[in-house]
């Protein structure tokens, strides 16, 4: 029954160590960057899109952006971490993950997802 609740699919990208050349005589720095390939592909999940979530379209130049926050439900045991990038397989929108929380004694996981600034905030 709970498996039927997971009616969406998402890709999860973990943070990886990368280097950035800052320039101006500053040496390379190790930073955390979103991985180029998804660590978890086509994960069954549920995006809570109808109750109390605040995703809205913001008119910007030269394009509009979808900003706000939304909840995501995942089965227990899925490897999702704070600041992972979650991509909705239906529409391609990418969100930044908050702190994962176990619900009902590790029955499933709820994660707050955040998106702001259009595509720049989640890439």
């Amino acid at each position: 029954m709970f498996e039927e609740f997971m009616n969406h699919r998402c890709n999860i990208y973990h943070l990886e160590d990368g280097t950035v050349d800052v320039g101006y005589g500053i040496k390379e720095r190790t930073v955390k960057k979103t991985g180029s390939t998804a660590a978890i592909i086509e994960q069954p999940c549920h995006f809570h899109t109808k109750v109390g979530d605040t995703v809205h379209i913001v008119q910007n130049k030269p394009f509009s952006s979808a900003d706000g926050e939304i909840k995501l439900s995942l089965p227990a045991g899925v490897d999702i971490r704070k600041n992972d990038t979650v991509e909705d397989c239906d529409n391609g929108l990418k969100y930044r993950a908050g702190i994962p929380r176990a619900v009902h004694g590790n029955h499933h996981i709820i994660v707050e997802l955040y998106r702001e600034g259009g595509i720049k905030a989640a890439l």
Side-chain angles (χ1 to χ4, degrees):
M1 184 165 154
F2 182 70
E3 291 77 21
E4 295 172 5
F5 177 65
M6 302 292 166
N7 59 348
H8 301 117
R9 298 281 182 266
C10 66
N11 297 327
I12 299 173
Y13 298 81
H14 296 310
L15 294 179
E16 299 174 350
D17 289 331
T19 57
V20 174
D21 184 13
V22 180
Y24 303 104
I26 300 173
K27 296 182 181 180
E28 287 185 348
R29 301 272 179 169
T30 301
V31 296
K32 296 284 189 182
K33 298 183 345 182
T34 299
S36 57
T37 58
I40 302 172
I41 299 171
E42 296 282 328
Q43 172 64 50
C45 63
H46 180 75
F47 290 93
H48 297 260
T49 57
K50 296 187 177 156
V51 181
D53 296 314
T54 58
V55 173
H56 51 275
I57 304 298
V58 177
Q59 183 64 42
N60 296 321
K61 291 183 181 179
F63 56 86
S64 299
S65 63
D67 298 348
E69 55 189 63
I70 191 170
K71 287 182 184 175
L72 175 70
S73 289
L74 295 162
V78 173
D79 184 18
I80 186 163
R81 309 167 192 157
K82 183 178 179 185
N83 290 327
D84 279 353
T85 299
V86 177
E87 178 184 25
D88 186 343
C89 291
D90 290 338
N91 56 29
L93 289 177
K94 292 185 178 181
Y95 302 89
R96 183 78 55 203
I99 299 171
R101 303 199 188 281
V103 178
H104 295 299
N106 212 20
H107 177 263
H108 66 283
I109 301 170
I110 294 279
V111 182
E112 290 283 339
L113 301 178
Y114 303 95
R115 181 178 172 83
E116 61 184 36
I119 52 177
K120 288 181 263 173
L123 292 179

